[in-house]
Amino acid sequence: MEASAVETRVFVEVRRRLQSALLIVGEPKEGGIPMDVSIMPSLLQMKTPTGCTEVRLPAEVRLVPSSCRGLQYVAGDGLHLRLQAHTEFSTKLISIFNQSLQAQECCTFYCQSCGEVIIRDRKLLRILPLPSENWGALIGEWCCHPDPFANKPLHPRENDCFIGDSFFLVNIRNDLRQEPKANTKVICKRCKVMLGEIMSSETTKFYMTEIIIQPSERSFPIIPRSQFVQSVIAQCLVELSSARSTFRFTIQDQDGKVYILFWLLNSDSVVIESLSSDHIKKFPLLEDTLKADFSSAWNAIKVLYQPCLRSGDEKLASSWESDISVHSLTLPAATCLELLLILSRSNAILPPSLRQMNSFQVAFLKM
């Protein structure tokens, strides 16, 4: 976005599957002055008597100006309109578990927050997905004889890594590099972040939001914390909704306390926004959100969410927990609060008319 005498906010949500876009052009900061809006396939231009603002679209996104429809003015937002859009935006994900890892390859487990090595040079021979949490209850439907897996928990061997919904299970052997707090929690000895839990004398659960696993010959990748948390949670929600045909989730801590109710709306959004400096507030946790030109574009999932921190939220949270169509994701309590902060900021920078849907708040999580 080119600097000029006029500051105008622009928000675009492109739906890849629908090949459509919602465009919102905010009123000039000065207010009460006329503005000409020009839409070109790769450029949005807003002119006023005092200046001009241009927003260039990513090369992968092309609008169809002749398809504009539904033009309306919304108080507090500005001009709303819909139009066709062509996009080839690729989804470059932060890998939860590096898919290029090969059998016999040595891996190193890092604390994502500070880069401390947790397990060094572990050779993983088997990387296996765990069954769903309710698999034991379904055994009776599958077997015509007594449950052969009764009282037989799934524990990884020395060179195994089992992948759950939001965690890894590994056999810690003797190379865990720090003492677990109170023999139940695994704490990073450098930054004191909770990384996981001791499940048995040999098995440790590491949360996906806290650990990065890399081939040992590679260096630790520096990824902003908020970007990493968003990408991991977004991937978890998308994969679970696809595998289990569920779109409602609860986010809870290791003690079972529910922090957030999630409703996944779609996973094919490309969000483009340009914000004046008044809309950007630097916050250490959200260090990747401050851009030099105050404009950005990213793949995202769109969610409805409801915080459950007040006493009055317990009834709604309880009704969701008792619904078999709702799936629970467990994260460390500190990460639940981080996620709430990320959602709150995402919601706060949306145009006002897009921030609420029924009793839920709306947010985007970057892929």
Side-chain angles (χ1 to χ4, degrees):
M1 183 173 71
E2 298 178 358
S4 60
V6 60
E7 289 189 6
T8 303
R9 180 180 184 180
V10 175
F11 175 87
V12 184
E13 181 190 2
V14 180
R15 295 289 304 278
R16 291 193 302 271
R17 294 192 186 98
L18 301 179
Q19 294 290 289
S20 67
L22 168 64
L23 169 62
I24 299 177
V25 180
E27 296 180 88
K29 186 177 180 180
E30 293 84 350
I33 60 175
M35 179 173 62
D36 292 330
V37 180
S38 299
I39 301 175
M40 290 159 268
S42 60
L43 180 70
L44 303 174
Q45 188 179 75
M46 285 65 65
K47 291 183 179 179
T48 70
T50 59
C52 176
T53 297
E54 291 185 348
V55 176
R56 298 188 180 277
L57 301 178
E60 298 86 355
V61 177
R62 287 293 178 268
L63 302 178
V64 182
S66 60
S67 66
C68 289
R69 65 190 189 279
L71 178 64
Q72 62 175 325
Y73 172 79
V74 178
D77 283 4
L79 293 177
H80 283 226
L81 59 92
R82 295 187 178 274
L83 65 166
Q84 292 180 7
H86 302 297
T87 175
E88 297 177 356
F89 218 83
S90 61
T91 305
K92 184 179 180 182
L93 302 177
I94 297 174
S95 179
I96 294 177
F97 190 92
N98 197 312
Q99 298 301 314
S100 65
L101 293 175
Q102 302 295 322
Q104 311 293 326
E105 192 166 26
C106 286
C107 305
T108 296
F109 291 57
Y110 298 93
C111 168
Q112 194 279 325
S113 296
C114 69
E116 175 73 4
V117 173
I118 308 304
I119 300 178
R120 187 186 299 275
D121 296 335
R122 170 66 65 88
K123 182 176 288 188
L124 298 179
L125 302 181
R126 298 194 305 169
I127 303 170
L128 303 173
L130 287 167
S132 67
E133 293 180 359
N134 300 320
W135 70 275
L138 298 176
I139 289 293
E141 303 295 330
W142 297 339
C143 301
C144 60
H145 48 76
D147 182 0
F149 305 105
N151 301 317
K152 292 182 180 180
L154 299 175
H155 292 305
R157 298 176 182 175
E158 183 176 303
N159 299 110
D160 293 344
C161 179
F162 293 168
I163 305 177
D165 294 338
S166 59
F167 59 87
F168 307 111
L169 288 185
V170 295
N171 188 310
I172 62 173
R173 294 189 309 180
N174 296 316
D175 58 358
L176 193 62
R177 298 177 63 85
Q178 73 284 320
E179 291 295 326
K181 184 178 180 181
N183 296 319
T184 57
K185 297 180 180 179
V186 180
I187 306 295
C188 176
K189 67 178 183 180
R190 177 188 291 177
C191 67
K192 309 306 179 184
V193 164
M194 177 184 172
L195 304 175
E197 304 172 70
I198 301 295
M199 305 301 291
S200 71
S201 60
E202 294 185 336
T203 302
T204 296
K205 173 195 288 186
F206 288 115
Y207 292 106
M208 290 179 179
T209 53
E210 316 307 318
I211 291 289
I212 287 182
I213 305 175
Q214 285 281 101
S216 293
E217 67 270 14
R218 298 186 188 176
S219 59
F220 171 72
I222 300 176
I223 303 170
R225 175 65 181 165
S226 63
Q227 181 183 346
F228 183 80
V229 170
Q230 287 184 72
S231 184
V232 170
I233 297 300
Q235 289 180 67
C236 285
L237 297 184
V238 170
E239 291 173 6
L240 287 169
S241 66
S242 176
R244 303 181 186 178
S245 298
T246 182
F247 301 94
R248 293 192 295 160
F249 305 87
T250 60
I251 304 296
Q252 64 183 26
D253 65 13
Q254 64 277 6
D255 297 322
K257 178 183 177 181
V258 175
Y259 283 74
I260 313 170
L261 306 181
F262 261 123
W263 199 317
L264 178 62
L265 289 183
N266 66 66
S267 58
D268 66 336
S269 291
V270 177
V271 178
I272 304 162
E273 64 177 345
S274 65
L275 302 175
S276 68
S277 56
D278 289 342
H279 290 86
I280 297 291
K281 295 181 180 179
K282 189 171 183 180
F283 197 103
L285 178 63
L286 306 169
E287 64 274 36
D288 60 307
T289 63
L290 187 65
K291 305 294 183 182
D293 60 357
F294 307 118
S295 63
S296 56
W298 61 84
N299 287 288
I301 65 170
K302 187 176 184 178
V303 299
L304 303 181
Y305 75 96
Q306 175 66 56
C308 292
L309 300 180
R310 301 172 302 180
S311 58
D313 299 324
E314 294 176 355
K315 185 176 180 180
L316 178 59
S318 178
S319 67
W320 275 51
E321 288 181 289
S322 61
D323 190 329
I324 61 173
S325 67
V326 176
H327 189 80
S328 296
L329 288 178
T330 301
L331 303 173
T335 303
C336 294
L337 294 174
E338 280 184 82
L339 182 56
L340 263 179
L341 184 58
I342 291 168
L343 292 167
S344 297
R345 187 193 181 278
S346 173
N347 177 264
I349 63 176
L350 289 177
S353 67
L354 302 185
R355 295 175 187 172
Q356 295 271 344
M357 187 176 293
N358 297 325
S359 61
F360 282 76
Q361 299 178 64
V362 180
F364 289 91
L365 289 178
K366 298 180 183 180
M367 299 283 280

